[in-house]
Amino acid sequence: MKWEKNLKSIIEENAPGNCHVCNSINTDYSMHIIDDKTNMGYGVIWCNDCKNAFHISRIKVSPNMKNIPVPEGLKY
Ligand SMILES: [Zn+2]
């Protein structure tokens, strides 16, 4: 998984870090809780410059994680 470092960075530092494709720091992420009891949900990490994105199908979402609108036109 190429976005593994970015996911690790979100979990540890609440920021995705550099894009692994174009090395831009202009990256972002959003997490959506599906099950309130377990805080399990899904997430998306993306780069605002090259529009590459990664869908996380299953993740335990922490309360401090962002839940913001995901931009259109991302390349998964
Ligand atoms: Zn990029």
Side-chain angles (χ1 to χ4, degrees):
M1 198 232 296
K2 287 174 187 166
W3 290 88
E4 195 170 358
K5 275 188 189 167
N6 303 94
L7 179 57
K8 197 165 178 276
S9 179
I10 290 168
I11 292 165
E12 290 174 357
E13 299 168 39
N14 206 19
N18 291 57
C19 171
H20 75 89
V21 180
C22 70
N23 207 34
S24 168
I25 195 66
N26 190 12
T27 54
D28 217 336
Y29 77 93
S30 184
M31 300 290 178
H32 277 266
I33 293 173
I34 293 172
D35 185 341
D36 284 330
K37 285 180 190 144
T38 60
N39 281 343
M40 291 304 294
Y42 68 92
V44 181
I45 310 170
W46 69 88
C47 172
N48 286 307
D49 286 340
C50 71
K51 305 293 181 192
N52 277 285
F54 177 68
H55 182 87
I56 306 145
S57 55
R58 196 169 157 79
I59 184 167
K60 192 171 178 71
V61 180
S62 301
N64 64 329
M65 286 178 174
K66 288 199 277 184
N67 182 358
I68 60 172
V70 177
E72 306 260 329
L74 297 176
K75 292 175 279 186
Y76 291 92

